[in-house]
Coordinates of all heavy atoms in Angstrom, one line a residue:
M1 N -10.4 -27.4 -7.0 CA -10.5 -26.7 -5.7 C -11.9 -26.5 -5.4 O -12.8 -26.2 -6.2 CB -9.7 -25.3 -5.9 CG -9.7 -24.5 -4.7 SD -8.9 -22.9 -4.9 CE -7.2 -23.4 -5.2
N2 N -12.2 -26.5 -4.1 CA -13.6 -26.3 -3.6 C -14.1 -24.9 -3.9 O -13.4 -24.0 -3.9 CB -13.5 -26.5 -2.1 CG -14.8 -26.4 -1.4 OD1 -15.7 -25.7 -1.8 ND2 -14.9 -27.1 -0.3
Q3 N -15.4 -24.9 -4.3 CA -16.0 -23.6 -4.7 C -16.0 -22.6 -3.5 O -15.8 -21.4 -3.7 CB -17.4 -23.8 -5.2 CG -17.5 -24.5 -6.5 CD -16.9 -23.6 -7.6 OE1 -15.7 -23.6 -7.8 NE2 -17.8 -23.0 -8.4
E4 N -16.2 -23.1 -2.3 CA -16.2 -22.2 -1.1 C -14.8 -21.6 -0.9 O -14.7 -20.4 -0.6 CB -16.6 -23.0 0.1 CG -16.7 -22.2 1.4 CD -17.1 -23.0 2.6 OE1 -17.6 -24.1 2.4 OE2 -16.8 -22.5 3.7
I5 N -13.8 -22.4 -1.2 CA -12.4 -21.9 -1.0 C -12.1 -20.8 -2.1 O -11.6 -19.8 -1.8 CB -11.4 -23.0 -1.1 CG1 -11.5 -23.9 0.2 CG2 -10.0 -22.5 -1.2 CD1 -10.7 -25.1 0.1
K6 N -12.6 -21.1 -3.3 CA -12.4 -20.2 -4.4 C -13.1 -18.9 -4.1 O -12.6 -17.8 -4.4 CB -12.9 -20.7 -5.8 CG -12.0 -21.7 -6.4 CD -12.5 -22.1 -7.8 CE -11.5 -22.9 -8.5 NZ -11.9 -23.2 -9.9
A7 N -14.3 -18.9 -3.6 CA -15.1 -17.7 -3.3 C -14.3 -16.9 -2.2 O -14.3 -15.7 -2.3 CB -16.5 -18.1 -2.8
K8 N -13.8 -17.6 -1.2 CA -13.0 -16.9 -0.1 C -11.8 -16.3 -0.7 O -11.4 -15.2 -0.3 CB -12.7 -17.9 1.0 CG -13.9 -18.2 1.8 CD -13.6 -19.1 3.0 CE -14.8 -19.4 3.8 NZ -14.6 -20.2 5.0
L9 N -11.1 -16.9 -1.6 CA -9.9 -16.3 -2.3 C -10.3 -15.1 -3.1 O -9.6 -14.1 -3.0 CB -9.2 -17.4 -3.1 CG -8.5 -18.5 -2.4 CD1 -8.0 -19.5 -3.5 CD2 -7.3 -18.0 -1.6
V10 N -11.4 -15.1 -3.8 CA -11.8 -14.0 -4.6 C -12.1 -12.8 -3.6 O -11.7 -11.7 -3.8 CB -13.0 -14.3 -5.5 CG1 -13.6 -13.1 -6.1 CG2 -12.6 -15.3 -6.6
T11 N -12.9 -13.1 -2.6 CA -13.2 -12.1 -1.6 C -12.0 -11.5 -1.0 O -11.9 -10.3 -0.8 CB -14.1 -12.7 -0.5 OG1 -15.3 -13.2 -1.1 CG2 -14.5 -11.7 0.6
A12 N -11.0 -12.3 -0.6 CA -9.8 -11.8 0.0 C -9.0 -10.9 -1.0 O -8.5 -9.9 -0.6 CB -8.9 -13.0 0.4
S13 N -9.0 -11.3 -2.2 CA -8.3 -10.6 -3.3 C -8.9 -9.2 -3.5 O -8.3 -8.2 -3.6 CB -8.3 -11.3 -4.6 OG -7.6 -10.6 -5.6
V14 N -10.3 -9.2 -3.5 CA -11.0 -7.9 -3.7 C -10.7 -7.0 -2.5 O -10.5 -5.8 -2.6 CB -12.5 -8.2 -3.9 CG1 -13.3 -6.9 -3.7 CG2 -12.7 -8.8 -5.2
K15 N -10.8 -7.6 -1.3 CA -10.6 -6.8 0.0 C -9.1 -6.2 0.0 O -8.9 -5.0 0.3 CB -10.8 -7.6 1.2 CG -12.3 -7.8 1.4 CD -12.6 -8.6 2.7 CE -14.0 -8.8 2.9 NZ -14.3 -9.6 4.1
I16 N -8.2 -7.0 -0.4 CA -6.8 -6.5 -0.4 C -6.6 -5.5 -1.5 O -5.9 -4.5 -1.3 CB -5.8 -7.7 -0.6 CG1 -5.7 -8.6 0.6 CG2 -4.4 -7.2 -1.0 CD1 -4.9 -9.8 0.5
S17 N -7.2 -5.6 -2.6 CA -7.2 -4.6 -3.7 C -7.8 -3.3 -3.2 O -7.2 -2.2 -3.5 CB -7.9 -5.1 -4.9 OG -7.2 -6.2 -5.5
A18 N -8.9 -3.4 -2.5 CA -9.5 -2.1 -2.0 C -8.6 -1.5 -0.9 O -8.4 -0.3 -1.0 CB -10.8 -2.5 -1.3
L19 N -8.0 -2.3 -0.1 CA -7.1 -1.7 0.9 C -5.8 -1.2 0.2 O -5.3 -0.1 0.6 CB -6.7 -2.8 1.9 CG -5.8 -2.4 3.1 CD1 -6.4 -1.3 3.9 CD2 -5.5 -3.6 4.0
L20 N -5.4 -1.8 -0.8 CA -4.2 -1.3 -1.5 C -4.5 0.0 -2.2 O -3.7 0.9 -2.2 CB -3.8 -2.3 -2.6 CG -2.6 -2.1 -3.4 CD1 -1.4 -2.0 -2.5 CD2 -2.4 -3.3 -4.4
S21 N -5.7 0.2 -2.7 CA -6.1 1.5 -3.2 C -6.1 2.6 -2.2 O -5.6 3.7 -2.4 CB -7.5 1.4 -3.8 OG -7.5 0.6 -4.9
V22 N -6.6 2.3 -1.0 CA -6.6 3.3 0.1 C -5.1 3.6 0.5 O -4.8 4.8 0.7 CB -7.4 2.7 1.3 CG1 -7.2 3.7 2.5 CG2 -8.8 2.6 1.0
V23 N -4.3 2.6 0.7 CA -2.9 2.9 1.1 C -2.2 3.7 0.0 O -1.4 4.6 0.3 CB -2.2 1.6 1.4 CG1 -0.7 1.8 1.7 CG2 -2.8 0.9 2.6
D24 N -2.4 3.3 -1.3 CA -1.8 4.0 -2.4 C -2.2 5.5 -2.4 O -1.4 6.4 -2.7 CB -2.2 3.3 -3.7 CG -1.4 3.9 -4.9 OD1 -0.2 4.1 -4.8 OD2 -2.0 4.2 -5.9
F25 N -3.5 5.7 -2.1 CA -4.0 7.1 -2.1 C -3.3 7.9 -1.0 O -2.8 9.0 -1.1 CB -5.5 7.1 -1.9 CG -6.1 8.5 -1.7 CD1 -6.3 9.3 -2.9 CD2 -6.4 9.1 -0.5 CE1 -6.8 10.6 -2.8 CE2 -6.9 10.4 -0.4 CZ -7.1 11.1 -1.5
A26 N -3.2 7.3 0.2 CA -2.5 7.9 1.3 C -1.0 8.2 1.0 O -0.5 9.2 1.3 CB -2.5 7.0 2.6
Y27 N -0.4 7.2 0.3 CA 1.0 7.4 -0.2 C 1.1 8.7 -1.1 O 2.0 9.5 -0.9 CB 1.5 6.2 -0.9 CG 2.9 6.3 -1.5 CD1 4.0 6.0 -0.7 CD2 3.1 6.7 -2.8 CE1 5.3 6.1 -1.3 CE2 4.3 6.7 -3.4 CZ 5.4 6.4 -2.6 OH 6.7 6.5 -3.1
C28 N 0.2 8.8 -2.0 CA 0.2 9.9 -2.9 C 0.0 11.2 -2.2 O 0.6 12.2 -2.5 CB -0.9 9.8 -4.0 SG -0.5 8.4 -5.2
E29 N -1.0 11.2 -1.2 CA -1.2 12.4 -0.4 C 0.0 12.9 0.4 O 0.3 14.0 0.4 CB -2.4 12.2 0.5 CG -3.7 12.1 -0.2 CD -4.2 13.4 -0.7 OE1 -4.2 14.4 0.0 OE2 -4.5 13.4 -1.9
E30 N 0.7 11.9 1.0 CA 1.9 12.2 1.8 C 3.0 12.7 0.9 O 3.8 13.6 1.3 CB 2.3 11.0 2.6 CG 1.3 10.7 3.7 CD 1.0 11.7 4.7 OE1 1.9 12.6 5.0 OE2 -0.1 11.7 5.3
T31 N 3.2 12.1 -0.2 CA 4.3 12.5 -1.1 C 4.0 13.9 -1.6 O 4.9 14.8 -1.8 CB 4.6 11.6 -2.2 OG1 3.4 11.3 -3.0 CG2 5.2 10.2 -1.7
D32 N 2.8 14.2 -2.0 CA 2.4 15.6 -2.4 C 2.6 16.6 -1.3 O 3.1 17.7 -1.6 CB 0.9 15.6 -2.9 CG 0.7 14.9 -4.2 OD1 1.7 14.6 -4.9 OD2 -0.5 14.7 -4.6
H33 N 2.2 16.2 -0.1 CA 2.4 17.1 1.1 C 3.9 17.4 1.3 O 4.3 18.5 1.5 CB 1.8 16.5 2.3 CG 1.9 17.4 3.5 ND1 1.9 16.9 4.8 CD2 2.0 18.7 3.7 CE1 2.0 17.9 5.7 NE2 2.1 19.0 5.0
L34 N 4.7 16.4 1.2 CA 6.2 16.5 1.4 C 6.7 17.5 0.3 O 7.5 18.4 0.5 CB 6.9 15.2 1.3 CG 8.4 15.2 1.5 CD1 8.8 15.8 2.9 CD2 9.0 13.9 1.3
A35 N 6.3 17.2 -1.0 CA 6.8 18.0 -2.1 C 6.3 19.5 -2.0 O 7.0 20.4 -2.5 CB 6.3 17.5 -3.4
S36 N 5.2 19.8 -1.3 CA 4.7 21.1 -1.2 C 5.4 21.9 -0.1 O 5.3 23.1 0.0 CB 3.2 21.1 -0.9 OG 3.0 20.7 0.4
L37 N 6.2 21.2 0.8 CA 6.9 21.9 1.9 C 8.1 22.7 1.4 O 8.8 22.2 0.4 CB 7.3 20.9 2.9 CG 6.3 20.2 3.7 CD1 7.0 19.2 4.7 CD2 5.5 21.2 4.5
P38 N 8.3 23.8 2.0 CA 9.6 24.5 1.6 C 10.8 23.7 2.0 O 10.7 22.8 2.9 CB 9.5 25.8 2.5 CG 8.1 25.9 3.0 CD 7.5 24.5 2.9
Y39 N 11.9 24.0 1.4 CA 13.1 23.2 1.5 C 13.5 23.0 3.0 O 13.8 21.9 3.4 CB 14.3 23.8 0.8 CG 15.5 23.0 0.9 CD1 15.7 21.9 0.2 CD2 16.5 23.4 1.8 CE1 16.9 21.1 0.3 CE2 17.7 22.7 1.9 CZ 17.9 21.5 1.2 OH 19.0 20.8 1.3
D40 N 13.5 24.1 3.8 CA 13.9 24.0 5.2 C 13.0 23.1 6.0 O 13.5 22.4 6.9 CB 14.1 25.3 5.8 CG 12.8 26.2 5.8 OD1 12.0 25.9 4.9 OD2 12.7 27.0 6.7
L41 N 11.7 23.1 5.7 CA 10.8 22.2 6.4 C 11.0 20.7 6.0 O 10.8 19.8 6.8 CB 9.3 22.6 6.3 CG 9.0 23.9 7.0 CD1 7.5 24.2 6.7 CD2 9.2 23.8 8.5
R42 N 11.2 20.5 4.7 CA 11.5 19.2 4.2 C 12.7 18.5 4.9 O 12.7 17.3 5.1 CB 11.7 19.2 2.7 CG 10.5 18.9 1.9 CD 10.8 18.8 0.5 NE 10.7 20.1 -0.1 CZ 11.4 20.6 -1.1 NH1 12.2 19.8 -1.8 NH2 11.2 21.8 -1.6
R43 N 13.7 19.3 5.2 CA 14.9 18.8 5.9 C 14.8 18.8 7.4 O 15.6 18.2 8.1 CB 16.1 19.7 5.5 CG 16.4 19.6 4.0 CD 16.8 18.2 3.6 NE 16.9 18.1 2.2 CZ 16.6 17.0 1.5 NH1 16.2 16.0 2.2 NH2 16.7 17.0 0.2
G44 N 13.7 19.4 7.9 CA 13.5 19.5 9.4 C 12.7 18.3 9.9 O 12.6 17.2 9.2
K45 N 12.2 18.4 11.1 CA 11.5 17.4 11.8 C 10.2 16.9 11.0 O 10.0 15.7 10.9 CB 11.1 17.8 13.2 CG 10.4 16.7 14.0 CD 10.1 17.2 15.4 CE 9.5 16.1 16.2 NZ 9.2 16.5 17.6
E46 N 9.5 17.9 10.5 CA 8.2 17.5 9.8 C 8.6 16.7 8.5 O 7.9 15.7 8.2 CB 7.5 18.8 9.4 CG 6.1 18.5 8.7 CD 5.3 19.8 8.4 OE1 5.8 20.9 8.8 OE2 4.3 19.6 7.8
G47 N 9.6 17.1 7.8 CA 10.0 16.3 6.7 C 10.5 14.9 7.0 O 10.1 13.9 6.3
K48 N 11.2 14.8 8.1 CA 11.6 13.4 8.6 C 10.4 12.5 8.9 O 10.4 11.4 8.6 CB 12.6 13.5 9.7 CG 13.9 14.1 9.3 CD 14.8 14.2 10.5 CE 16.2 14.8 10.1 NZ 17.1 14.9 11.2
V49 N 9.4 13.1 9.6 CA 8.2 12.4 10.0 C 7.5 11.9 8.7 O 7.1 10.8 8.6 CB 7.3 13.2 10.9 CG1 5.9 12.5 11.0 CG2 8.0 13.4 12.2
L50 N 7.3 12.8 7.7 CA 6.7 12.5 6.5 C 7.5 11.4 5.7 O 6.9 10.5 5.1 CB 6.5 13.7 5.6 CG 5.4 14.7 6.0 CD1 5.4 16.0 5.2 CD2 4.0 14.0 5.9
N51 N 8.8 11.5 5.7 CA 9.6 10.5 5.0 C 9.4 9.1 5.7 O 9.3 8.1 5.0 CB 11.0 10.9 5.0 CG 11.4 11.8 3.9 OD1 10.9 11.7 2.8 ND2 12.2 12.8 4.2
H52 N 9.3 9.1 7.0 CA 9.0 7.8 7.7 C 7.6 7.3 7.3 O 7.5 6.1 7.1 CB 9.2 7.9 9.2 CG 10.6 8.1 9.6 ND1 11.5 7.0 9.5 CD2 11.2 9.1 10.2 CE1 12.7 7.4 10.0 NE2 12.5 8.7 10.4
K53 N 6.6 8.1 7.3 CA 5.3 7.7 6.9 C 5.3 7.2 5.5 O 4.7 6.1 5.2 CB 4.3 8.9 6.9 CG 3.8 9.3 8.3 CD 2.8 10.4 8.2 CE 2.4 10.9 9.5 NZ 1.4 12.0 9.4
I54 N 6.0 7.9 4.6 CA 6.0 7.5 3.2 C 6.7 6.1 3.0 O 6.2 5.3 2.3 CB 6.7 8.6 2.3 CG1 5.8 9.8 2.2 CG2 7.1 8.1 0.9 CD1 6.5 11.0 1.7
A55 N 7.8 5.9 3.8 CA 8.5 4.6 3.7 C 7.6 3.5 4.2 O 7.6 2.4 3.6 CB 9.8 4.7 4.5
A56 N 6.8 3.8 5.3 CA 6.0 2.7 5.8 C 4.8 2.4 4.8 O 4.5 1.2 4.6 CB 5.4 3.2 7.2
L57 N 4.3 3.4 4.2 CA 3.2 3.2 3.2 C 3.7 2.5 2.0 O 3.1 1.6 1.5 CB 2.6 4.6 2.8 CG 1.7 5.3 3.9 CD1 1.5 6.7 3.5 CD2 0.5 4.5 4.1
D58 N 5.0 2.8 1.6 CA 5.6 2.1 0.5 C 5.8 0.6 0.8 O 5.5 -0.2 -0.1 CB 6.9 2.8 0.2 CG 7.6 2.2 -1.1 OD1 6.8 2.1 -2.1 OD2 8.8 1.9 -1.1
K59 N 6.2 0.3 2.0 CA 6.3 -1.1 2.4 C 5.0 -1.8 2.4 O 4.8 -2.9 2.0 CB 6.9 -1.2 3.8 CG 8.4 -1.2 3.8 CD 8.9 -1.5 5.2 CE 10.4 -1.5 5.2 NZ 11.0 -1.9 6.5
A60 N 4.0 -1.1 2.9 CA 2.6 -1.7 3.0 C 2.1 -2.0 1.6 O 1.5 -3.0 1.3 CB 1.7 -0.7 3.7
I61 N 2.4 -1.1 0.6 CA 1.9 -1.3 -0.7 C 2.6 -2.5 -1.3 O 2.0 -3.4 -1.9 CB 2.3 0.0 -1.6 CG1 1.3 1.1 -1.3 CG2 2.2 -0.4 -3.1 CD1 1.7 2.4 -1.9
G62 N 3.9 -2.7 -1.0 CA 4.6 -3.9 -1.5 C 4.1 -5.2 -0.9 O 3.8 -6.2 -1.6
Y63 N 3.8 -5.2 0.4 CA 3.3 -6.4 1.1 C 1.9 -6.7 0.6 O 1.6 -7.9 0.4 CB 3.3 -6.2 2.6 CG 4.7 -6.2 3.2 CD1 5.0 -5.3 4.2 CD2 5.7 -7.0 2.7 CE1 6.3 -5.3 4.8 CE2 7.0 -7.0 3.3 CZ 7.3 -6.1 4.3 OH 8.6 -6.1 4.8
L64 N 1.1 -5.7 0.5 CA -0.3 -5.9 0.0 C -0.3 -6.5 -1.4 O -1.1 -7.4 -1.8 CB -1.1 -4.7 0.1 CG -1.5 -4.2 1.5 CD1 -2.1 -2.8 1.5 CD2 -2.5 -5.2 2.2
G65 N 0.5 -5.9 -2.2 CA 0.7 -6.4 -3.6 C 1.1 -7.8 -3.7 O 0.6 -8.6 -4.4
Q66 N 2.1 -8.2 -2.8 CA 2.5 -9.6 -2.8 C 1.4 -10.5 -2.3 O 1.2 -11.6 -2.8 CB 3.7 -9.7 -1.9 CG 5.0 -9.2 -2.4 CD 6.2 -9.3 -1.4 OE1 6.0 -9.5 -0.3 NE2 7.4 -9.0 -1.9
A67 N 0.7 -10.1 -1.3 CA -0.4 -10.9 -0.7 C -1.4 -11.1 -1.8 O -1.9 -12.3 -2.0 CB -1.0 -10.2 0.5
R68 N -1.8 -10.1 -2.5 CA -2.8 -10.2 -3.6 C -2.3 -11.2 -4.7 O -3.0 -12.0 -5.2 CB -3.2 -8.9 -4.2 CG -4.3 -9.0 -5.2 CD -4.6 -7.7 -5.9 NE -3.3 -7.2 -6.5 CZ -3.1 -5.9 -6.8 NH1 -4.0 -5.0 -6.6 NH2 -1.9 -5.6 -7.4
D69 N -1.0 -11.1 -5.0 CA -0.5 -11.9 -6.1 C -0.5 -13.4 -5.6 O -0.8 -14.3 -6.4 CB 1.0 -11.5 -6.4 CG 1.1 -10.2 -7.1 OD1 0.0 -9.7 -7.6 OD2 2.2 -9.6 -7.2
H70 N -0.2 -13.7 -4.3 CA -0.2 -15.0 -3.8 C -1.6 -15.6 -3.8 O -1.8 -16.8 -4.2 CB 0.4 -15.1 -2.4 CG 1.9 -14.9 -2.4 ND1 2.8 -15.6 -3.0 CD2 2.6 -14.0 -1.7 CE1 4.0 -15.2 -2.8 NE2 3.9 -14.2 -2.0
I71 N -2.6 -14.8 -3.5 CA -4.0 -15.2 -3.5 C -4.4 -15.6 -4.9 O -5.0 -16.6 -5.2 CB -4.9 -14.2 -2.9 CG1 -4.6 -14.1 -1.3 CG2 -6.4 -14.5 -3.1 CD1 -5.3 -13.0 -0.6
E72 N -4.0 -14.7 -5.9 CA -4.4 -14.9 -7.2 C -3.7 -16.2 -7.8 O -4.3 -16.9 -8.6 CB -4.1 -13.7 -8.1 CG -5.1 -12.6 -7.8 CD -4.7 -11.3 -8.5 OE1 -3.7 -11.2 -9.2 OE2 -5.5 -10.3 -8.3
Q73 N -2.5 -16.4 -7.4 CA -1.8 -17.7 -7.8 C -2.5 -18.9 -7.2 O -2.6 -19.9 -7.9 CB -0.3 -17.6 -7.4 CG 0.5 -16.7 -8.2 CD 1.9 -16.5 -7.6 OE1 2.2 -17.1 -6.6 NE2 2.7 -15.7 -8.3
A74 N -2.9 -18.8 -5.9 CA -3.6 -19.9 -5.3 C -4.9 -20.2 -6.0 O -5.3 -21.3 -6.2 CB -3.8 -19.6 -3.8
Y75 N -5.6 -19.1 -6.4 CA -6.9 -19.3 -7.1 C -6.7 -20.0 -8.5 O -7.4 -20.8 -8.9 CB -7.5 -17.9 -7.3 CG -8.9 -18.0 -8.0 CD1 -10.0 -18.3 -7.3 CD2 -9.0 -17.8 -9.4 CE1 -11.2 -18.4 -7.9 CE2 -10.2 -17.9 -10.0 CZ -11.3 -18.2 -9.3 OH -12.5 -18.3 -9.9
A76 N -5.6 -19.6 -9.1 CA -5.3 -20.2 -10.4 C -4.8 -21.6 -10.3 O -4.6 -22.3 -11.3 CB -4.3 -19.3 -11.2
G77 N -4.4 -22.0 -9.1 CA -4.0 -23.4 -8.9 C -2.5 -23.5 -9.2 O -2.0 -24.6 -9.4
E78 N -1.7 -22.4 -9.2 CA -0.3 -22.5 -9.5 C 0.5 -23.0 -8.3 O 0.1 -22.8 -7.1 CB 0.2 -21.2 -9.9 CG -0.4 -20.7 -11.2 CD 0.1 -19.3 -11.6 OE1 1.0 -18.8 -11.0 OE2 -0.4 -18.8 -12.6

């Protein structure tokens, strides 16, 4: 594999890992916020909005993880 392509794959993997860390941090913050709410607020509109945010962040974590895995597999030549 061309060295330039390998360098781009490494750069992409590092950038995705950094983005994954940020999204994971946001996920933790939102889940902590949801857990800190009183029961009635968790079941109300605010809780529903937080649940949707958490679900979207969870999906993003999954997609970013898959993307990073695919890049690492491409780098390894699999």
Side-chain angles (χ1 to χ4, degrees):
M1 183 181 295
N2 182 329
Q3 289 296 79
E4 184 180 339
I5 293 172
K6 281 187 173 185
K8 287 182 180 183
L9 288 173
V10 169
T11 300
S13 180
V14 168
K15 287 180 179 180
I16 288 175
S17 292
L19 185 56
L20 188 55
S21 295
V22 171
V23 174
D24 188 47
F25 178 78
Y27 177 86
C28 292
E29 288 291 308
E30 293 298 332
T31 54
D32 288 348
H33 183 206
L34 181 63
S36 72
L37 291 176
Y39 180 79
D40 58 334
L41 289 179
R42 266 186 269 152
R43 296 294 171 216
K45 184 177 181 179
E46 186 175 355
K48 288 180 183 180
V49 169
L50 284 172
N51 277 321
H52 286 293
K53 283 183 184 179
I54 290 168
L57 289 167
D58 188 46
K59 275 187 176 181
I61 289 169
Y63 291 140
L64 288 168
Q66 287 177 346
R68 185 184 57 199
D69 292 346
H70 289 303
I71 288 171
E72 289 174 357
Q73 288 173 356
Y75 182 83
E78 294 179 7

